[in-house]
Amino acid sequence: MTSTAPHAPHGRAPQEEPPTWQRRLRRFGYVPPRRTALRERLVPPYAPPPGPYFWSLLRVGPALGDRLARLAPWGGPLLVTLLAGVMRFWNLGSPRAVIFDETYYAKDAWALVNRGYEGAWPKDVDKSILADPGSVSLPTDPGYVVHPPVGKWLIGWGEQLFGFTPFGWRFAVALLGVLSVLLLCRIGRRLFRSTFLGCLAGLLLAFDGLHFVMSRTALLDQVLMFFVLAAFGCLLVDRDRCRRRLADALPVDEDGVLRPDAHLAATLRMGLRPWRLAAGLCLGLAFATKWSGLYTLVVFGLLTVLWDVAARRTAGARRPYAAVLKRDVLPAFLSTVPVALLTYLASWTGWILSSKGYFRDWAKGRAGLSPDHLGPISLPQFDMTWVPEWLRSLWHYESEVYSFHIQLVSGHTYQSNPWSWIVLGRPVSYFYESPKPGVDGCPATEAEKCAREVLALGTPLLWWAAAFALLYVLWRWFFRRDWRAGAILAGVVAGWLPWFLYQERTIFFFYAVVFVPFLCLAVVMMIGAMLGPPGSDERRRTVGAIGAGVLVLLIVWNFIYFWPLYTGTTLPIADWRHRMWLDTWI
């Protein structure tokens, strides 16, 4: 029978012709989604374990190979984490000094865990603390601080365990740095459905210089990074559980094939989602460490809702946005925003229970509050006496802190613009000394003084590879509609883009540690593309593996090369200069 349909090229039915926008985007690399089984689209399977050929190359018997394959999902990440732990805890108390902003957070943490509030420390007390911390008295007067207390509570916990010493105040941050490597291994495994790629992501994080230095310094940004990464991991687990619930609820035809169902996909209730509640808790802890965690709360909140839209659409919902608006938006909001805000308030318990915290008694004796009393942030009512006194005082404190942050424009030697972060334009020197020849590891044969520095610098080859990887991930998300690329970009956006709104403010490169894990995921996604898609021939796999292996080995070598600058190891001045690859690093 002759077809009456016009313009059916080569016998293809007109309804099979891809839409015009798809044909136009093909020149840029757009590929229509591969048609896979519905269950695989909802819950993609993990990559199969290595086969007998792989184990035979390693001269491992089949029985032992099967046992190793079963242990790999946790054994691989734990081995990478062990390596990261050895690197980060090795000689953690060196330099035996108060480096960079440790002068604020180490002392605030010590006062917090002993008094319940941060104290006003006398100037030049750092030398006394290093010489004999037991002889230094805790201040009784409250100190004005501009960051919430969670990170300082954690630093103080380490000080309680190991004393008011450099090792003590760096311990908790180092522990979170190590645990973040484990988190990223497991997150990468779930994201890419590959134990190998997950472990590779954790390995790259372990060998990133910025993450390494921040893990060995008592600053708040590494704590913030940990909670942001933990929240991302919780949302990722929630996504899988939600999609598995949809897959289990959909009907199966007589051939045992899962089929979409428009009504069920639009009306199924997901029930209690504990992992999203856990994400709300982690986001609250991030916000209660530094206020920049609030941007992550917004971005990740939108991300989890969009994941619900995609899940219901895949399951067959004809109007997925309407279904999510009706069924999922309110539960998503209640699981994240109120939980985060309550967590934030709970973090101030020490200040609330104290009688001497800064601004603690600000609202005492006031019959009412007007916006004129509250600085740049105003409560909506003129008479707020019904609000608890502590909450009114805390609101005023927060308004003063907000005013401080937006007006912080004083210059600093190591400040940098966020545009320069991805190319390592201006790292931050945390510590620098010039030992004389024959002193503190400086060879006696040197004609000049040596250099001993702790430089907050990302591993250059990793970061410069990440700049290209971000372009690849952006292309992958836009033209391939790859949700994994979108998830990685969401992490980068939450940690990086907000700082472009404050380019006149004094900001530093080390803030970028928050999105370093997502840079590692971007590089791993690019490496996965280098290795080739499933079904690639042996030649393609071999060439890809060689290229990927060379890149990873160069990154590891680059980290080792800069190791002295990450650990404060004394270097001859000529060797130090050789490592100053850019003039802006000095």
Side-chain angles (χ1 to χ4, degrees):
M1 179 181 294
T2 303
S3 173
T4 58
H7 310 298
H10 307 293
R12 173 192 271 180
Q15 59 269 23
E16 295 179 0
E17 185 69 18
T20 302
W21 68 271
Q22 291 185 2
R23 294 200 303 271
R24 289 176 177 173
L25 290 180
R26 276 183 174 177
R27 72 185 67 176
F28 300 107
Y30 174 81
V31 176
R34 183 172 60 92
R35 306 306 296 176
T36 56
L38 179 57
R39 181 172 288 277
E40 287 188 9
R41 282 186 282 146
L42 283 171
V43 188
Y46 284 86
Y53 176 73
F54 174 81
W55 297 117
S56 66
L57 292 176
L58 300 179
R59 300 185 183 277
V60 174
L64 180 58
D66 290 342
R67 191 177 300 113
L68 291 175
R70 289 195 299 271
L71 294 174
W74 275 103
L78 287 174
L79 285 176
V80 175
T81 304
L82 178 62
L83 174 63
V86 171
M87 292 163 53
R88 279 151 179 76
F89 278 100
W90 176 82
N91 205 16
L92 180 62
S94 177
R96 183 171 173 76
V98 180
I99 64 175
F100 203 62
D101 281 354
E102 284 185 341
T103 187
Y104 304 116
Y105 304 127
K107 292 180 292 191
D108 286 344
W110 186 245
L112 194 62
V113 295
N114 285 282
R115 299 281 193 196
Y117 60 90
E118 295 90 341
W121 292 84
K123 293 182 179 180
D124 301 324
V125 73
D126 292 350
K127 293 181 180 179
S128 300
I129 292 172
L130 293 170
D132 183 9
S135 65
V136 178
S137 301
L138 279 168
T140 56
D141 293 334
Y144 177 64
V145 296
V146 294
H147 292 298
V150 161
K152 288 168 281 186
W153 279 114
L154 289 170
I155 293 171
W157 169 69
E159 291 172 334
Q160 285 185 315
L161 290 177
F162 298 102
F164 195 25
T165 64
F167 183 90
W169 60 65
R170 294 169 191 163
F171 174 80
V173 181
L175 180 62
L176 293 183
V178 174
L179 291 177
S180 66
V181 172
L182 177 61
L183 277 178
L184 191 64
C185 287
R186 295 291 296 178
I187 286 170
R189 179 179 183 271
R190 186 174 291 272
L191 190 68
F192 301 120
R193 289 310 200 249
S194 166
T195 300
F196 170 74
L197 292 181
C199 290
L200 182 57
L203 188 70
L204 292 180
L205 186 63
F207 283 96
D208 175 61
L210 180 61
H211 184 274
F212 178 83
V213 171
M214 295 298 288
S215 295
R216 294 167 55 88
T217 311
L219 270 64
L220 303 180
D221 299 83
Q222 186 82 337
V223 181
L224 172 63
M225 179 279 303
F226 175 82
F227 289 124
V228 167
L229 186 61
F232 182 78
C234 290
L235 291 178
L236 205 57
V237 175
D238 174 74
R239 179 186 185 275
D240 278 358
R241 289 167 64 96
C242 170
R243 295 173 77 91
R244 186 174 293 110
R245 179 176 174 81
L246 272 172
D248 292 342
L250 290 175
V252 178
D253 64 15
E254 61 274 8
D255 296 324
V257 178
L258 197 69
R259 296 296 181 187
D261 186 296
H263 177 72
L264 189 147
T267 59
L268 181 68
R269 294 185 180 276
M270 298 300 174
L272 183 64
R273 298 170 68 167
W275 284 100
R276 195 151 66 180
L277 285 168
L281 175 64
C282 291
L283 290 169
L285 291 171
F287 179 32
T289 299
K290 291 189 78 171
W291 277 9
S292 52
L294 186 60
Y295 293 107
T296 306
L297 173 63
V298 174
V299 173
F300 283 7
L302 292 174
L303 182 66
T304 188
V305 169
L306 291 176
W307 281 350
D308 287 345
V309 171
R312 291 190 182 272
R313 179 192 291 119
T314 303
R318 295 189 178 91
R319 301 177 62 194
Y321 284 96
V324 167
L325 184 63
K326 183 177 181 180
R327 302 286 183 186
D328 301 319
V329 168
L330 182 60
F333 176 84
L334 294 177
S335 298
T336 52
V337 177
V339 172
L341 293 179
L342 289 174
T343 302
Y344 181 85
L345 282 178
S347 73
W348 285 90
T349 299
W351 180 89
I352 294 169
L353 296 179
S354 74
S355 60
K356 290 189 175 182
Y358 204 87
F359 280 137
R360 177 60 185 86
D361 295 328
W362 179 85
K364 184 177 291 186
R366 293 173 182 267
L369 298 176
S370 68
D372 293 337
H373 293 114
L374 298 173
I377 304 178
S378 301
L379 294 174
Q381 293 87 354
F382 287 96
D383 186 359
M384 300 294 291
T385 54
W386 58 273
V387 175
E389 172 265 329
W390 65 266
L391 186 55
R392 286 183 282 147
S393 295
L394 180 59
W395 183 262
H396 175 73
Y397 194 172
E398 303 290 63
S399 71
E400 292 293 322
V401 169
Y402 177 77
S403 177
F404 168 84
H405 282 303
I406 63 174
Q407 296 175 16
L408 183 61
V409 294
S410 57
H412 192 283
T413 304
Y414 290 105
Q415 71 182 60
S416 60
N417 191 285
W419 285 105
S420 69
W421 290 356
I422 194 64
V423 293
L424 306 177
R426 183 59 169 164
V428 182
S429 180
Y430 285 172
F431 171 84
Y432 187 89
E433 284 184 348
S434 301
K436 296 179 181 179
V439 177
D440 199 14
C442 185
T445 56
E446 288 295 309
E448 299 181 77
K449 291 182 178 180
C450 292
R452 186 183 181 207
E453 182 173 29
V454 175
L455 186 66
L457 170 73
T459 303
L461 293 186
L462 173 60
W463 279 71
W464 295 339
F468 291 100
L470 284 179
L471 295 177
Y472 169 73
V473 168
L474 184 63
W475 171 83
R476 183 93 191 177
W477 171 69
F478 189 80
F479 290 107
R480 297 292 181 91
R481 292 293 188 264
D482 192 324
W483 73 271
R484 301 169 302 173
I488 294 170
L489 289 172
V492 176
V493 164
W496 188 14
L497 258 61
W499 294 109
F500 287 89
L501 303 175
Y502 304 99
Q503 294 187 58
E504 296 181 356
R505 184 186 181 276
T506 307
I507 52 181
F508 300 92
F509 165 68
F510 64 81
Y511 297 171
V513 74
V514 177
F515 60 87
V516 166
F518 299 96
L519 295 183
C520 294
L521 289 173
V523 173
V524 167
M525 192 170 193
M526 183 176 69
I527 288 175
M530 293 170 63
L531 293 173
S536 299
D537 57 37
E538 185 176 346
R539 179 186 177 88
R540 171 68 179 83
R541 288 287 193 184
T542 301
V543 173
I546 292 173
V550 169
L551 175 60
V552 173
L553 289 175
L554 285 174
I555 289 171
V556 172
W557 165 82
N558 200 210
F559 174 85
I560 295 172
Y561 180 72
F562 283 97
W563 172 271
L565 296 185
Y566 298 144
T567 57
T569 301
T570 302
L571 284 173
I573 195 66
D575 292 346
W576 177 83
R577 290 190 182 115
H578 289 159
R579 287 165 173 80
M580 296 294 106
W581 286 3
L582 301 178
D583 291 342
T584 54
W585 293 3
I586 300 175

